[in-house]
Amino acid sequence: MAATELRGVVGPGPAAIAAPGGGGAGPPVVGGGGGRGDAGPGSGVASGTVATAAAGGPGPGAGGVATAGPTPAPPAGGSGGSGAGGSGSAREGWLFKWTNYIKGYQRRWFVLSNGLLSYYRSKAEMRHTCRGTINLATANITVEDSCNFIISNGGAQTYHLKASSEVERQRWVTALELAKAKAVKMLAESDESGDEESVSQTDKTELQNTLRTLSSKVEDLSTCNDLIAKHGTALQRSLSELESLKLPAESNEKIKQVNERATLFRITSNAMINACRDFLMLAQTHSKKWQKSLQYERDQRIRLEETLEQLAKQHNHLERAFRGATVLPANTPGSAGSGKDQCCSGKGDMSDEDDENEFFDAPEIITMPENLGHKRTGSNISGASSDISLDEQYKHQLEETKKEKRTRIPYKPNYSLNLWSIMKNCIGKELSKIPMPVNFNEPLSMLQRLTEDLEYHELLDRAAKCENSLEQLCYVAAFTVSSYSTTVFRTSKPFNPLLGETFELDRLEENGYRSLCEQVSHHPPAAAHHAESKNGWTLRQEIKITSKFRGKYLSIMPLGTIHCIFHATGHHYTWKKVTTTVHNIIVGKLWIDQSGEIDIINHKTGDKCNLKFVPYSYFSRDVARKVTGEVTDPSGKVHFALVGTWDEKMDCFKIQPAVGENGGDARQRVHEAEESRVMLWKRNPLPKNAENMYYFSELALTLNAWEGGTAPTDSRLRPDQRLMENGRWDEANAEKQRLEEKQRLSRKKREAEAMKATEDGTPYDPYKALWFERKKDPVTKELTHIYRGEYWECKEKQDWNSCPDIF
């Protein structure tokens, strides 16, 4: 690491220098001088050493911890001083950390420095790998018993730790509390940044120039004030002379009024000059503080970037080494089943965050089997095809048979990508506003991903046949959960649709339904969806996708209400989606989790189903991706209990009222209801070699297949998406930039027209969706886009004159 990182851990002064020799034997003193040195010769840093800012002096045992390696720096605006000597507290030593129920507590080397608690597998590992870090500024420290204590920062990170003795535990807790107090103080003293951009030397020069300009303007105002005072005095003198003259009474009154106004004007101008002078003095007083705070934020950001960049390089190096060690010939025994194992394993691959393979990203290093379809000649990078392009193959397949659905797509190329170089400028920002290369995408648009909610449409078909509204609600709940099953391995993002882009899925003959999606807003991105089935149900929704990249994980928050209406009974159900989180964005194996609660409400009967998506936890004994739910009537009485996982299946139990101890009703226990257990839904297996095809389901594989007669705005006709699916990623990136620039110019043109209409006072109609109309929903009273009709009639006539040119 550079000297900058070393300075981030070891500060100047004797408090940061380990004394030679073994050090003293006295106990650690918090806030005082010495500490206990290591028993080994030549070591001045001991297990359990405590040093504070007051521990200056070269006595034995006084020391901080000098580490070289990727020890994470505090985040921008966080705590931490310039070195261990000035951080308020520093300590290192062995503690036992809970890992999982199989391995239990494991011995780890912990380092407390700059308001951060980091841990390693061994002391030697400090030079190259940090296993985890928690910021004490936002952490809670709780003592469990004589040796155990817990450090948590609100749920995202929790360390269950155990010391070797009660005395050792108390020393650690005291040092942690001191470090936390110092970190909180530093956090309170720093001004809130709010700006993600680095503060450069140019910014400081600009600030100084601004202050000089302000000073110059105040001097100009002062000069003007002197002139106003001079001329005002002359004016008052002239008015006084006029008063001494023999003039009519009315003239004297007017002269007095003018004299008073001149005096008021002079007083006001003086007050204004004084206020400007005070402002300049205040700006000059605080300028040094601002510069210091901005420089501190800049240094912190640079340290964080350096640390994360080194981690990303390590990850890249390990990935290449792993690829070189695991690439086997096509005819090697046992190699054929590796893809299946990667595809199907997912429940237990996160049991211990300390596993040796935690930095490997298996899905990114899958090799292309030579004996499978869609084989290309030449380099994978060029994406060149053999004798006939894949687009033409699709057209020939379409001509051969319209009913046959495709079962495979071209395999995903194995491109290497410097992820950190792209993502480091995205922290804290809305990802829909950041241009991203197609390397992060899958060859489907967000409209097609919305249509994937209909993967298990047969659940709604069964629900439409139910006579009991509570049983119907169980199937609707299972349908809601099933829409997440396709996301379990899908770590790539879909294409952001262009404004006016559409996607249709006509399965009226095969499955009894047809669906239409349209992108109705660009910023914020929003898509409207309408699906109708001849089996007696309608599904509609408008979803706005918001996402935030937080460095370690990406949160995706769908906003909007989903409506399901059953024609025969008039039952109208509504619900909202939960938050999706993608973990290990920079380093490690990408994995997806769903968390939150869903309330499904029948607005006609008042029945309700509450579903809880349990977030994954290393310390939980529950099965991963668990979902539980209860179906209640309007009085709150529970009739059905739901249990399962969002990636496998959902079961329901009928709750029969049982007689309680006092003769009243009591809820039946779940184990007593095993006989009434009914499996509502089970996930379909993924297609063969799905790991090479973005983990697409059978439905997803068909969504981007060529179809004749669709609207010219259909996602299947989007050129960058088609190029990416065919493996021509360089061309896809260039085409993606062209489309985004075209959309940007269209938006600027609309804004210019709106501004001109405002200036001219003429009415201007804002952008309106083509197939959906924005109006108030009669049930939820929300403004939403509802299907206005006419799409399928236009398709039958092949009348697409009203469609915009977006591709």
Side-chain angles (χ1 to χ4, degrees):
M1 293 293 288
T4 307
E5 290 196 14
L6 197 59
R7 286 196 299 271
V9 182
V10 181
I17 302 173
V29 180
V30 178
R36 185 179 62 194
D38 198 342
S43 166
V45 182
S47 171
T49 302
V50 176
T52 67
V65 182
T67 63
T71 303
S79 62
S82 61
S87 65
S89 63
R91 183 181 179 88
E92 65 173 7
W94 291 104
L95 288 172
F96 291 91
K97 179 180 178 294
W98 176 264
T99 55
N100 56 38
Y101 284 98
I102 298 175
K103 296 184 178 181
Y105 282 96
Q106 296 292 316
R107 195 165 177 251
R108 298 288 181 258
W109 181 262
F110 279 81
V111 175
L112 173 60
S113 179
N114 296 324
L116 298 175
L117 181 67
S118 306
Y119 74 94
Y120 311 84
R121 286 202 168 182
S122 64
K123 191 173 180 180
E125 196 181 56
M126 290 169 59
R127 293 185 174 274
H128 55 83
T129 304
C130 176
R131 295 290 171 177
T133 301
I134 193 167
N135 190 344
L136 296 178
T138 57
N140 294 320
I141 303 167
T142 307
V143 176
E144 277 194 315
D145 52 33
S146 59
C147 296
N148 292 27
F149 59 101
I150 300 173
I151 304 173
S152 173
N153 63 355
Q157 289 174 292
T158 302
Y159 293 171
H160 293 255
L161 306 176
K162 182 167 67 173
S164 57
S165 65
E166 185 173 359
V167 175
E168 186 71 9
R169 186 264 298 160
Q170 187 56 44
R171 288 170 180 165
W172 271 104
V173 171
T174 304
L176 289 167
E177 292 288 358
L178 283 172
K180 177 183 176 180
K182 180 67 176 179
V184 171
K185 183 179 178 182
M186 290 294 293
L187 186 63
E189 289 176 354
S190 354
D191 292 334
E192 184 176 354
S193 171
D195 188 0
E196 295 291 332
E197 299 297 329
S198 299
V199 181
S200 62
Q201 187 66 31
T202 307
D203 299 322
K204 293 195 289 185
T205 305
E206 184 179 353
L207 180 61
Q208 293 169 356
N209 291 338
T210 303
L211 290 173
R212 281 196 292 269
T213 304
L214 283 172
S215 179
S216 172
K217 295 299 180 183
V218 171
E219 289 178 2
D220 293 344
L221 286 171
S222 180
T223 302
C224 293
N225 181 63
D226 294 339
L227 291 173
I228 290 172
K230 179 180 177 181
H231 293 308
T233 303
L235 178 61
Q236 285 183 322
R237 190 183 308 113
S238 299
L239 291 172
S240 300
E241 291 174 357
L242 284 174
E243 286 181 358
S244 62
L245 297 176
K246 294 181 180 180
L247 296 173
E250 293 182 0
S251 300
N252 287 334
E253 289 296 325
K254 292 292 183 184
I255 291 171
K256 286 181 180 180
Q257 290 179 6
V258 173
N259 196 0
E260 290 174 358
R261 289 176 182 174
T263 304
L264 288 173
F265 176 73
R266 184 162 56 87
I267 293 171
T268 303
S269 65
N270 286 333
M272 180 188 67
I273 293 298
N274 290 333
C276 291
R277 187 177 289 110
D278 291 342
F279 169 75
L280 180 62
M281 290 178 63
L282 186 64
Q284 290 174 338
T285 302
H286 288 277
S287 65
K288 291 184 178 180
K289 180 183 176 183
W290 294 339
Q291 290 179 10
K292 183 179 178 182
S293 299
L294 290 172
Q295 184 61 34
Y296 172 78
E297 298 294 341
R298 179 173 177 266
D299 292 343
Q300 296 288 61
R301 181 187 174 101
I302 290 174
R303 287 168 59 191
L304 179 63
E305 284 189 1
E306 288 176 350
T307 302
L308 285 176
E309 189 164 10
Q310 179 158 345
L311 284 174
K313 288 178 180 177
Q314 281 184 356
H315 171 61
N316 207 13
H317 173 73
L318 291 171
E319 187 181 81
R320 286 198 300 270
F322 184 73
R323 186 187 297 119
T326 56
V327 172
L328 300 174
N331 58 356
T332 301
S335 63
S338 60
K340 183 178 179 181
D341 294 340
Q342 287 174 338
C343 172
C344 299
S345 64
K347 291 268 182 183
D349 55 358
M350 296 167 289
S351 61
D352 183 10
E353 77 275 23
D354 294 326
D355 282 346
E356 293 291 350
N357 61 352
E358 68 175 302
F359 294 108
F360 299 146
D361 190 355
E364 296 298 326
I365 59 175
I366 296 171
T367 58
M368 239 184 186
E370 297 179 357
N371 57 343
L372 295 171
H374 298 279
K375 180 179 178 181
R376 296 188 189 86
T377 61
S379 169
N380 279 340
I381 302 300
S382 67
S385 59
S386 52
D387 297 329
I388 184 170
S389 71
L390 290 167
D391 291 354
E392 292 174 354
Q393 290 180 23
Y394 293 138
K395 291 178 181 177
H396 286 314
Q397 290 172 6
L398 184 64
E399 291 171 1
E400 289 172 6
T401 170
K402 187 176 179 181
K403 298 295 182 182
E404 185 180 352
K405 305 299 180 185
R406 67 177 183 178
T407 58
R408 63 174 62 183
I409 60 173
Y411 285 173
K412 178 182 179 181
N414 189 16
Y415 290 136
S416 61
L417 178 68
N418 187 352
L419 184 65
W420 174 243
S421 64
I422 297 171
M423 300 300 288
K424 67 180 181 181
N425 295 321
C426 304
I427 297 177
K429 295 183 179 178
E430 169 61 52
L431 285 192
S432 64
K433 298 181 181 180
I434 299 169
M436 305 286 279
V438 299
N439 305 55
F440 293 98
N441 288 66
E442 62 181 19
L444 289 178
S445 76
M446 190 62 209
L447 303 181
Q448 291 164 317
R449 284 291 290 266
L450 270 182
T451 307
E452 280 191 73
D453 285 357
L454 299 172
E455 173 100 15
Y456 299 94
H457 61 89
E458 63 272 7
L459 291 170
L460 296 182
D461 295 342
R462 276 186 261 166
K465 298 176 182 178
C466 290
E467 298 179 358
N468 186 308
S469 63
L470 294 169
E471 292 179 3
Q472 186 180 69
L473 184 51
C474 290
Y475 283 106
V476 174
F479 173 80
T480 303
V481 176
S482 71
S483 64
Y484 294 98
S485 64
T486 60
T487 67
V488 61
F489 302 113
R490 302 272 286 278
T491 53
S492 300
K493 67 182 288 290
F495 279 79
N496 292 329
L498 303 174
L499 185 63
E501 185 175 334
T502 60
F503 179 73
E504 65 156 80
L505 186 66
D506 189 352
R507 295 291 173 87
L508 202 59
E509 294 182 11
E510 303 97 315
N511 306 118
Y513 73 88
R514 57 187 180 184
S515 160
L516 176 68
C517 291
E518 180 181 3
Q519 187 76 359
V520 295
S521 174
H522 181 50
H523 279 309
H529 179 209
H530 180 90
E532 192 162 354
S533 171
K534 63 182 182 182
N535 294 323
W537 54 265
T538 297
L539 184 77
R540 60 179 174 88
Q541 58 183 318
E542 180 184 349
I543 298 295
K544 298 179 179 67
I545 300 294
T546 61
S547 56
K548 288 289 184 181
F549 175 53
R550 298 300 186 187
K552 291 177 63 178
Y553 62 91
L554 170 67
S555 295
I556 303 167
M557 294 80 70
L559 307 176
T561 304
I562 304 171
H563 299 255
C564 184
I565 304 101
F566 291 96
H567 306 160
T569 59
H571 292 165
H572 189 138
Y573 298 90
T574 62
W575 66 90
K576 297 179 183 292
K577 289 181 176 285
V578 294
T579 299
T580 300
T581 307
V582 185
H583 295 271
N584 294 342
I585 295 293
I586 300 298
V587 176
K589 181 179 179 180
L590 290 173
W591 59 280
I592 291 178
D593 197 19
Q594 316 285 351
S595 59
E597 294 190 17
I598 295 178
D599 286 326
I600 308 173
I601 302 172
N602 185 337
H603 291 272
K604 181 177 180 181
T605 64
D607 300 336
K608 181 179 177 182
C609 176
N610 175 257
L611 293 173
K612 294 181 180 179
F613 288 68
V614 182
Y616 179 82
S617 172
Y618 287 107
F619 301 102
S620 175
R621 294 185 178 182
D622 281 333
V623 64
R625 310 181 185 103
K626 184 177 181 180
V627 180
T628 61
E630 291 182 342
V631 175
T632 59
D633 60 21
S635 66
K637 182 180 178 181
V638 179
H639 291 264
F640 292 93
L642 307 177
V643 65
T645 59
W646 53 263
D647 67 322
E648 286 292 341
K649 65 174 184 175
M650 285 296 293
D651 296 337
C652 79
F653 302 90
K654 187 171 181 62
I655 304 299
Q656 299 290 348
V659 180
E661 294 180 358
N662 299 325
D665 288 345
R667 187 185 302 181
Q668 183 185 21
R669 295 179 182 177
V670 174
H671 70 82
E672 296 174 353
E674 279 295 331
E675 295 181 358
S676 66
R677 186 186 189 109
V678 175
M679 186 172 68
L680 300 172
W681 160 77
K682 184 178 181 180
R683 180 172 66 92
N684 296 328
L686 289 175
K688 185 180 180 182
N689 302 309
E691 67 277 6
N692 297 326
M693 300 183 291
Y694 308 90
Y695 288 98
F696 281 178
S697 64
E698 290 183 358
L699 174 63
L701 287 173
T702 67
L703 292 180
N704 208 42
W706 282 97
E707 285 191 17
T710 60
T713 54
D714 197 271
S715 298
R716 299 175 180 89
L717 305 176
R718 181 166 173 165
D720 55 346
Q721 187 172 303
R722 180 66 62 189
L723 286 167
M724 187 214 169
E725 182 182 273
N726 293 347
R728 295 149 65 179
W729 285 17
D730 292 337
E731 297 173 59
N733 276 317
E735 190 65 20
K736 185 172 183 287
Q737 291 180 4
R738 182 190 71 81
L739 292 174
E740 290 172 347
E741 182 61 26
K742 182 176 182 179
Q743 181 172 238
R744 200 174 294 115
L745 292 175
S746 299
R747 177 176 56 83
K748 290 181 179 179
K749 181 180 178 182
R750 288 195 302 271
E751 291 174 352
E753 291 174 353
M755 187 176 295
K756 186 176 185 302
T758 304
E759 293 173 354
D760 298 343
T762 57
Y764 174 77
D765 292 331
Y767 176 83
K768 292 182 179 178
L770 186 58
W771 309 110
F772 290 80
E773 182 181 3
R774 192 167 188 259
K775 55 186 178 181
K776 183 180 287 188
D777 185 88
V779 175
T780 62
K781 309 302 180 185
E782 300 172 341
L783 279 175
T784 185
H785 282 84
I786 299 177
Y787 179 58
R788 70 170 75 197
E790 300 180 2
Y791 177 86
W792 302 106
E793 290 78 6
C794 289
K795 181 182 179 182
E796 187 176 350
K797 300 174 186 176
Q798 284 298 293
D799 179 12
W800 304 118
N801 293 326
S802 57
C803 292
D805 175 22
I806 60 175
F807 299 142

